[in-house]
Amino acid sequence: MRAAFAALGGLIAGFTALCVAELVAAAVRPEAGPVTAVGGAVIDRTPPAVKDFAVRNFGTDDKLVLQLGILVLLAVFAMAVGVLALRHRWTGAAAVLVFGVVGAVSAAGRPEGRPLDVLPSVVGALVAAGVLYLLTGRLAPVTVPPPAAGETGGDGEQGAFDRRGFVVAATAAAAASAGAGLLGRRLQADRLAGVSASRGDIALPAPGSPAPAIPGGADLGIRGLSSFTTPNKDFYRVDTALVVPRVDADRWRLRIHGKGVARPVTLTFQDLLGRELVERDITLTCVSNQVGGPYVGTARWIGVRLADLLREAGVKPPSKGGPADQIVSRSVDGMTIGTPVEDVMDGRDALLAVGMNGEPLPFDHGFPVRMVVPGLYGYVSACKWIQDIELTTFDAYDAYWVKRDWSREAPIKTQSRIDTPRPFAAPRAGTVPVAGVAWAQHRGIARVEVRVDGGEWHTAKLAAEAGRDTWRQWVWEWPATTGHHTLEVRATDRTGATQTDKRVGTVPDGATGWHSVVVDVT
Ligand SMILES: Nc1nc2c(c(=O)[nH]1)N[C@H]1C(S)=C(S)[C@@H](COP(=O)(O)O)O[C@H]1N2
Ligand SMILES: [Mo]
């Protein structure tokens, strides 16, 4: 019985630690909260195969699953520590401090960690240790009657303790903790509301170089087929941020410096808006996208040409004798992304984007400024919440994912996906439109073919081409007969190269193989 109460005491102490930490994090910064910090540290250390598994199985919920996992583990340990404290009151309290150290080390050890980030974990653990010490004090055996003179201890009534005292103290601790936690959350929310309001106040100027009109026939308008432009709310999100950074655009700065930068600069958001804005439709793709997967989308980006900024800073690409071959972009949350200087300066529309589909960047997608480079997977090009651009060499520096076994360079591989019919759909026999998207950014899609049950390839009808940097819809009218059938698709890019059927996984530089869908025609 006492053990159960002790476990409850441990649980309450754990709750206290998290709530107090939440309150302190409101003063320091939300990312420094222990669960976020430990989660971030776990992400930093996750091997590519596991990260890939998590992204594949939990999708965008991978982070939620991670945080729930941490909370469950924490609860189990907290109960164990509570039971330990029953025997050894001081050791139990000390064990709580050990957890504080884990949180503190995780927070300070994040790529963008600062010394103050240890505070939420440390203060939370100190208060929690005190709470545990007090609560276990209430569980001390009460011996009735008190030992007579000369006796040492006396049995008393086994297991009896001040139950009422414990319940009162535990309830008070839990309530006070909840109050602190709620206040912390409230303060954090207020801060976010301020930044959200500042985003709402931004009016993006009209582009000096508008996007070429999307041809009418670029969207085939077929049921079940992804729309040509992906709405922001449906746009995939892939990043390591457990707390989405909320950067105040007025305080945002971007520094451009490093090897071969004759004139380093620091830019403000207004500096960017004051330049010629370029608007382009560009399809973004994640290297973690499986064949047939969802981590690809097309948006109308608006921003400034990164190559112009680099040229003004005196940067030359390697082909013109420049000493730097790698651009390392750093985000406010410590992500580092390495991009070939040559690609950014070869004339393609590499942008420092400030807008997405007619509005300032959503916070999830990098507000206030991110990079977008047509033709390169996101992890080597699309730095969100960017704050620093350093010119260096690939020999001198490995960016975040490169340190974790992904390739230094990663141009997007030609891919095609069947959107409709869905896997295991049961269409009626007759003409069934088989339709989807194909992409080979910066090379363009020249042909898409479909085959049924390994038979001959049929050329699909391609939607009008919006540009080489976007995906292209396609459709093939299938004279479907009853039975079980396997549909397969392959694309050919404008260099004449046909998508390989060789199945490889996403690590280290993107999946290959043909997407197939099995259907049951009735
Ligand atoms: N700061 C930061 N930028 C980032 C990432 C990240 O984890 N942190 N992930 C990159 C990856 S892997 C991809 S695929 C794209 C995804 O951009 P999106 O979330 O806007 O679709 O962002 C890139 N930029
Ligand atoms: Mo990615």
Side-chain angles (χ1 to χ4, degrees):
M1 198 56 196
R2 273 175 76 218
F5 275 89
L8 179 63
L11 212 50
I12 289 173
F15 180 63
T16 301
L18 293 184
C19 290
V20 170
E22 203 68 41
L23 182 58
V24 179
V28 179
R29 55 181 188 140
E31 295 87 335
V35 175
T36 306
V38 171
V42 171
I43 293 175
D44 291 342
R45 285 165 188 76
T46 303
V50 180
K51 175 238 170 201
D52 211 48
F53 170 86
V55 170
R56 193 158 65 245
N57 289 280
F58 306 123
T60 310
D61 292 334
D62 57 346
K63 301 189 182 79
L64 189 64
V65 171
L66 172 64
Q67 302 199 61
L68 283 178
I70 291 172
L71 285 177
V72 168
L73 262 184
L74 193 65
V76 170
F77 279 114
M79 291 192 281
V81 168
V83 174
L84 169 71
L86 193 58
R87 295 264 157 133
H88 311 281
R89 227 169 140 194
W90 280 109
T91 316
V96 174
L97 295 182
V98 171
F99 280 95
V101 170
V102 171
V105 168
S106 301
R110 298 287 341 264
E112 202 64 0
R114 306 169 202 164
L116 272 185
D117 290 352
V118 304
L119 275 184
S121 294
V122 168
V123 177
L126 281 173
V127 177
V131 165
L132 185 66
Y133 187 80
L134 287 177
L135 288 182
T136 39
R138 305 280 170 184
L139 294 176
V142 180
T143 47
V144 217
E151 277 182 7
T152 50
D155 285 7
E157 205 185 313
Q158 253 309 325
F161 59 94
D162 180 8
R163 190 175 298 204
R164 194 161 169 275
F166 177 86
V167 170
V168 169
T171 309
S177 302
L182 286 175
L183 178 63
R185 274 291 157 101
R186 182 64 198 273
L187 292 173
Q188 293 181 23
D190 286 352
R191 196 149 96 172
L192 296 186
V195 181
S196 302
S198 83
R199 175 179 178 274
D201 291 342
I202 292 169
L204 295 177
S209 171
I214 298 172
D219 206 320
L220 298 170
I222 293 168
R223 236 182 116 94
L225 173 59
S226 308
S227 58
F228 177 81
T229 301
T230 313
N232 289 351
K233 66 170 174 34
D234 300 333
F235 209 96
Y236 80 90
R237 175 185 161 207
V238 171
D239 56 57
T240 57
L242 285 172
V243 173
V244 175
R246 302 274 176 145
V247 180
D248 186 335
D250 290 331
R251 284 197 230 152
W252 177 85
R253 297 286 182 277
L254 174 70
R255 204 159 76 94
I256 301 180
H257 62 109
K259 231 180 163 61
V261 183
R263 295 171 291 280
V265 284
T266 299
L267 298 156
T268 65
F269 192 66
Q270 286 307 323
D271 289 339
L272 293 190
L273 295 193
R275 298 176 65 94
E276 182 193 55
L277 292 182
V278 176
E279 183 189 53
R280 295 289 182 267
D281 295 302
I282 297 167
T283 299
L284 216 63
T285 311
C286 181
V287 71
S288 292
N289 195 45
Q290 298 284 329
V291 171
Y295 302 129
V296 53
T298 301
R300 176 160 286 193
W301 307 94
I302 183 165
V304 305
R305 279 197 195 87
L306 180 54
D308 291 350
L309 285 173
L310 294 178
R311 232 171 271 119
E312 287 168 30
V315 175
K316 289 198 190 99
S319 60
K320 299 234 168 74
D325 61 2
Q326 180 177 220
I327 291 170
V328 172
S329 42
R330 284 192 175 76
S331 69
V332 301
D333 63 330
M335 173 54 60
T336 52
I337 285 183
T339 312
V341 177
E342 199 64 51
D343 291 348
V344 167
M345 300 188 78
D346 72 358
R348 73 183 76 194
D349 295 313
L351 302 179
L352 276 180
V354 294
M356 181 178 185
N357 290 330
E359 55 173 297
L361 290 178
F363 289 110
D364 281 357
H365 297 289
F367 180 84
V369 183
R370 76 175 303 170
M371 252 169 79
V372 174
V373 183
L376 307 181
Y377 285 118
Y379 86 103
V380 289
S381 67
C383 190
K384 306 195 274 189
W385 314 295
I386 193 171
Q387 66 170 350
D388 188 279
I389 286 180
E390 179 180 357
L391 282 109
T392 178
T393 60
F394 279 102
D395 280 343
Y397 185 79
D398 282 340
Y400 186 92
W401 289 114
V402 177
K403 289 193 185 97
R404 290 158 179 81
D405 297 343
W406 296 80
S407 286
R408 290 204 166 86
E409 301 201 27
I412 294 171
K413 296 177 180 177
T414 303
Q415 268 297 335
S416 48
R417 184 180 77 192
I418 300 169
D419 283 353
T420 182
R422 309 288 304 164
F424 310 113
R428 299 277 289 278
T431 304
V432 173
V434 178
V437 284
W439 60 90
Q441 289 94 313
H442 212 57
R443 297 183 298 280
I445 291 291
R447 187 168 67 243
V448 171
E449 297 158 290
V450 181
R451 70 176 184 180
V452 185
D453 301 327
E456 61 183 289
W457 289 101
H458 305 276
T459 304
K461 181 185 131 197
L462 288 173
E465 188 174 39
R468 285 189 304 165
D469 295 338
T470 60
W471 61 12
R472 206 164 171 188
Q473 296 183 355
W474 54 267
V475 61
W476 176 62
E477 303 289 347
W478 173 33
T481 54
T482 39
H484 225 53
H485 297 293
T486 302
L487 299 164
E488 284 174 294
V489 64
R490 68 175 187 191
T492 300
D493 71 18
R494 287 207 175 279
T495 71
T498 298
Q499 186 186 332
T500 175
D501 67 329
K502 196 170 163 250
R503 275 264 170 184
V504 303
T506 57
V507 188
D509 63 357
T512 62
W514 295 334
H515 186 212
S516 65
V517 164
V518 174
V519 295
D520 206 358
V521 180
T522 55

